[in-house]
Amino acid sequence: MVSHRAGIGTPRTQVGIVGAGPAGLFLAEMLRRHGIGSVILEARSREYVEHRVRAGVLEQGTVDAMAELGVDERLRSEGLLHEGFELRFDGEGHRIDMQALCGRAITVYGQQEVVKDLTDAHLAGGGTILFEAGDVALHDFEGDAPSITFTHDGAAHTLACDFIAGCDGFHGVSRPSVPDGVLTVYERVYPFAWLGILAHAEPSSEELIYANHERGFALQSMRSPSVTRLYLQVTPDEQLDDWSDTRIWEELQRRMETRDGSFRLNEGEIFDRGITPMRSFVVEPMQHGRLFLAGDAAHIVPPTGAKGLNVAVSDVQNLSEALVAFYETGERTALDGYSARCLRRIWRVEHFSWFMTSMLHRPHDQDPFEMQLQRSQLRYVTSSHAARESLAENYAGLPRE
């Protein structure tokens, strides 16, 4: 996968990939299966990357992508298949049956587990991942001979390549490497955040529960039959130190309560917690010269719609297909159209995530007019078959074009 044809001591590969998150790993493994070489450069250690807690809801398309790569053994045995989810408001639950409405489902399987599976498979297949690569910088991608400089194991290196894939997230080096004035930025910052916890407690429901409550939004999810993932809407400037375990559980119980008092969350030891700001962000185009952006490097969605990981996978499916076409035929049409093709799905996902966020979160100023609009929307999507069907197909994931 790596040669030294570019000169003495200068390794060369076909695709240099910055970032060993899901986007970079999926791309590298898709390319490897077609005989296309790549090198992944990752700033963090392998242990850090494989244990950072992120999303856990996989659309059917992402599950299918893992199956096609043959990395779904643990997913099939440990993943939790969900054919529906619940919207809870005014103290009552309303189930959205995705399987019945659109013929698809989701699977709950932690992003860190996806990363472990892909890392193991890529390294076992002879792929190259350089963890703890520092001082990464991208060069000459506006021409025909891009390269990446970096340090690794105390030495400076230059990686020559045909193309660069920027899969290094929102705070990575890839997007800022594009010259000023090339990219158009679309952004919305929401006036609230999520306080998320992981707890050693059996999930209180077999499916996700999205709760709209007068005190703010809450979500019950899970990571396994013995680990619950829970979220609370808080203000962006909220401090974790102000939230004791007791306060967290009391607030969750209030927001998840039902009118008849029959529901109660199972409580347990909280072993992870954090506050996540909410934003929507898109850059256009997602490519410049021989640099292609994918995943969080190009777009961010609020987590309410559970789309971040899934749209990143869609990005690299498009990119891998375009690169395969180029190396097999020399045709650049798919590469030139990469950004436009990705953005059609991205903006659909952005709209759905905005819709879910706006419908479920209490306005920060408790605007009574907006709260009545929310209640009207919730009643509509839970009573109209057409509205339920649209909600189900967007949540489960629209098929790729």
Side-chain angles (χ1 to χ4, degrees):
M1 292 296 181
V2 183
S3 70
H4 291 269
R5 290 172 295 168
I8 298 174
T10 303
R12 175 175 179 80
T13 192
Q14 289 167 296
V15 183
I17 300 173
V18 185
L25 290 166
F26 263 108
L27 177 61
E29 192 60 6
M30 290 170 180
L31 294 176
R32 188 182 72 80
R33 302 303 172 104
H34 284 87
I36 299 172
S38 70
V39 171
I40 303 177
L41 303 176
E42 169 55 51
R44 301 282 193 167
S45 68
R46 180 175 181 178
E47 180 180 9
Y48 179 90
V49 172
E50 291 187 342
H51 290 87
R52 55 186 170 191
V53 176
R54 292 292 187 271
V57 174
L58 307 186
E59 295 177 354
Q60 187 60 53
T62 301
V63 172
D64 292 343
M66 294 187 68
E68 289 170 7
L69 294 175
V71 295
D72 62 332
E73 182 178 354
R74 283 205 310 134
L75 183 149
R76 285 185 282 108
S77 63
E78 300 175 20
L80 305 175
L81 182 67
H82 288 198
E83 296 184 347
F85 63 94
E86 179 181 323
L87 293 179
R88 184 174 294 181
F89 61 97
D90 293 339
E92 295 184 359
H94 306 263
R95 185 171 186 264
I96 305 298
D97 190 333
M98 294 181 291
Q99 190 63 50
L101 289 162
C102 68
R104 293 192 295 282
I106 57 147
T107 300
V108 174
Y109 188 67
Q111 176 174 309
Q112 66 271 26
E113 305 306 322
V114 174
V115 167
K116 292 174 188 175
D117 295 339
L118 287 166
T119 300
D120 288 344
H122 194 62
L123 294 176
T128 302
I129 307 173
L130 300 181
F131 292 99
E132 299 182 84
D135 303 315
V136 173
L138 316 186
H139 308 278
D140 302 323
F141 50 82
E142 293 178 297
D144 295 332
S147 64
I148 308 173
T149 55
F150 62 99
T151 58
H152 189 254
D153 288 340
H157 302 272
T158 298
L159 176 68
C161 49
D162 299 328
F163 301 97
I164 299 174
C167 304
D168 49 345
F170 184 78
H171 299 289
V173 302
S174 295
R175 188 181 65 253
S177 298
V178 179
D180 291 343
V182 171
L183 302 179
T184 300
V185 175
Y186 301 89
E187 185 171 20
R188 169 163 295 181
V189 177
Y190 295 88
F192 34 74
W194 275 11
L195 191 165
I197 66 166
L198 284 167
H200 290 299
E202 181 181 346
S204 307
S205 168
E206 294 182 354
E207 296 177 340
L208 277 70
I209 302 173
Y210 290 79
N212 174 291
H213 190 271
E214 62 184 11
R215 297 178 65 89
F217 168 78
L219 169 62
Q220 189 238 221
S221 183
M222 63 285 293
R223 286 297 176 267
S224 74
S226 60
V227 174
T228 299
R229 181 69 159 157
L230 295 148
Y231 297 95
L232 285 168
Q233 174 187 345
V234 296
T235 59
D237 58 354
E238 202 77 47
Q239 300 298 310
L240 271 178
D241 290 344
D242 295 333
W243 286 85
S244 66
D245 289 11
T246 299
R247 183 186 177 192
I248 290 173
W249 285 117
E250 287 179 349
E251 192 62 28
L252 283 165
Q253 296 289 4
R254 288 192 191 102
R255 298 190 193 185
M256 302 295 296
E257 66 187 358
T258 54
R259 187 178 299 171
D260 62 8
S262 61
F263 180 86
R264 185 165 180 82
L265 286 169
N266 296 322
E267 299 184 11
E269 176 197 2
I270 298 173
F271 64 92
D272 186 87
R273 72 191 73 202
I275 293 179
T276 303
M278 306 279 281
R279 64 152 38 98
S280 296
F281 177 90
V282 181
V283 295
E284 295 188 14
M286 292 169 55
Q287 62 193 96
H288 182 62
R290 291 186 171 226
L291 169 63
F292 297 84
L293 304 177
D296 287 0
H299 46 78
I300 296 286
V301 293
T304 326
K307 296 300 176 191
L309 166 61
N310 297 292
V311 74
V313 173
S314 178
D315 288 348
V316 295
Q317 285 177 313
N318 288 331
L319 183 53
S320 66
E321 290 167 1
L323 288 166
V324 169
F326 172 80
Y327 282 112
E328 289 183 349
T329 69
E331 175 61 55
R332 288 191 57 102
T333 302
L335 279 173
D336 293 341
Y338 164 75
S339 180
R341 186 177 181 189
C342 288
L343 285 166
R344 286 195 293 272
R345 185 181 189 89
I346 289 163
W347 279 114
R348 173 88 295 272
V349 167
E350 289 285 354
H351 183 272
F352 178 69
S353 298
W354 165 84
F355 164 77
M356 289 284 284
T357 302
S358 302
M359 179 175 66
L360 290 165
H361 290 75
R362 282 288 157 153
H364 71 288
D365 55 1
Q366 294 292 303
D367 178 6
F369 183 83
E370 188 171 343
M371 288 190 285
Q372 288 298 330
L373 292 178
Q374 282 185 335
R375 184 170 286 106
S376 173
Q377 184 65 60
L378 285 163
R379 288 170 179 161
Y380 176 62
V381 298
T382 55
S383 61
S384 162
H385 178 81
R388 290 199 311 274
E389 186 174 41
S390 176
L391 176 61
E393 72 170 358
N394 278 276
Y395 191 88
L398 295 170
R400 291 184 68 222
E401 295 181 8

